[in-house]
Amino acid sequence: MKPQVEPGTTVAPEKYRIVIADGGPYLVYGQPPMVQQFIMPNGEGEIWYFKEGAHYSTKDEPTALCRCGYSKNKPYCDGSHEHADWDPALTASTRPLLEDAEQIDGPEITLTDNEKYCAFARFCDAKGRVWNLAEEEGQEAAELTIREANHCPAGRLSAWKDDKAPVEPHFDPGLGLLEDPLLRISSALWVRGGIPVQHPDGFTYEIRNRVTLCRCGHSSNKPFCDGTHASFKFRDGLPNRPDPNGEEY
């Protein structure tokens, strides 16, 4: 069966895919670039932008990435899932994200929100919170709504100017290892640019432009992140500062 594609998503070239091993790691094909992405505040302390950190190789075909949170060689799998006390069950719905999303209709922008896919990145809280901004009149509120929705790495939030497609950022296929220095924790695996994610039985989840996959092992919405890493205080042990010369988004 042909996989479903979320509106606003360009599907990555065929070589790219992520296969979830049964009870094991994420198997990454196509050698997409993988880099730390630090969740950074502005001068007012509001979460505002991403900044790159260290780059990691995906030259192995496939590259096995830790899903249980216990590997001593993160972000890569070292086999710890075989003995770790964790639940690898994939519990997320196979329905398209938008089918279960709330819709907020504002004067300028429509906002869709499926809170099951929250990665607790907190870009939505800046400048008056995105849900409030969506209901305000004026160009400034509309632009802030789009910005905050587009910075949601999980794709929980989408901003629409019409009913055809959301206003989506362009991403080349790639992986981000999310880091949250303000909370001193590590976060999800950010899958960008329409890379398919496949269940062990061969089913392909809805292909989306922005996806966050659990890498702490504790999400109740696996394989997707649900923000549990924050309460669990997950740390991946990787360098904890962004590259001063790293790109910003």
Side-chain angles (χ1 to χ4, degrees):
M1 184 175 69
K2 189 175 181 180
Q4 294 179 299
V5 180
E6 187 177 61
T9 295
T10 299
V11 179
E14 189 174 350
K15 70 175 183 175
Y16 296 109
R17 61 191 170 106
I18 297 174
V19 178
I20 305 166
D22 191 9
Y26 301 115
L27 302 177
V28 178
Y29 294 85
Q31 302 181 342
M34 182 167 63
V35 60
Q36 284 180 299
Q37 295 283 350
F38 285 81
I39 298 168
M40 301 296 292
N42 60 17
E44 288 73 49
E46 301 164 328
I47 299 300
W48 194 244
Y49 66 100
F50 293 100
K51 188 160 189 178
E52 286 188 358
H55 290 245
Y56 292 85
S57 173
T58 56
K59 67 180 181 180
D60 292 340
E61 190 73 12
T63 297
L65 300 182
C66 178
R67 182 165 78 90
C68 69
Y70 286 92
S71 173
K72 296 178 176 60
N73 189 38
K74 298 182 189 74
Y76 306 108
C77 173
D78 67 355
S80 291
H81 60 274
E82 297 178 1
H83 309 288
D85 181 16
W86 75 300
D87 183 359
L90 301 172
T91 56
S93 171
T94 57
R95 292 159 56 88
L97 180 149
L98 289 171
E99 285 190 10
D100 300 313
E102 178 186 2
Q103 182 169 310
I104 297 97
D105 294 313
E108 313 282 347
I109 295 292
T110 295
L111 184 71
T112 53
D113 176 14
N114 187 332
E115 64 180 4
K116 288 184 178 179
Y117 294 85
C118 181
F120 201 62
R122 308 184 308 289
F123 289 95
C124 53
D125 289 334
K127 309 301 179 187
R129 306 190 80 225
V130 70
W131 301 273
N132 297 330
L133 291 166
E135 295 182 329
E136 292 182 13
E137 295 184 355
Q139 187 65 25
E140 181 179 3
E143 290 177 358
L144 283 170
T145 301
I146 292 170
R147 187 188 194 282
E148 293 188 15
N150 282 354
H151 276 72
C152 171
R156 164 188 172 170
L157 299 164
S158 292
W160 306 63
K161 286 186 176 179
D162 54 46
D163 60 359
K164 296 179 181 179
V167 185
E168 277 289 309
H170 170 77
F171 290 121
D172 292 326
L175 304 178
L177 301 166
L178 292 180
E179 311 286 355
D180 196 329
L182 204 63
L183 297 183
R184 299 182 182 179
I185 59 173
S186 302
S187 181
L189 176 67
W190 187 15
V191 182
R192 298 172 292 178
I195 298 176
V197 177
Q198 296 180 346
H199 194 279
D201 67 7
F203 170 80
T204 299
Y205 291 95
E206 179 187 39
I207 300 173
R208 298 193 281 118
N209 188 38
R210 298 173 279 149
V211 176
T212 48
L213 299 179
C214 173
R215 63 188 183 107
C216 74
H218 291 268
S219 173
S220 60
N221 193 38
K222 294 186 186 75
F224 306 108
C225 173
D226 69 353
T228 301
H229 57 269
S231 57
F232 183 66
K233 303 296 183 184
F234 174 62
R235 294 184 177 89
D236 58 18
L238 303 180
N240 60 7
R241 293 186 180 181
D243 181 346
N245 299 312
E247 292 186 9
E248 294 183 7
Y249 164 64

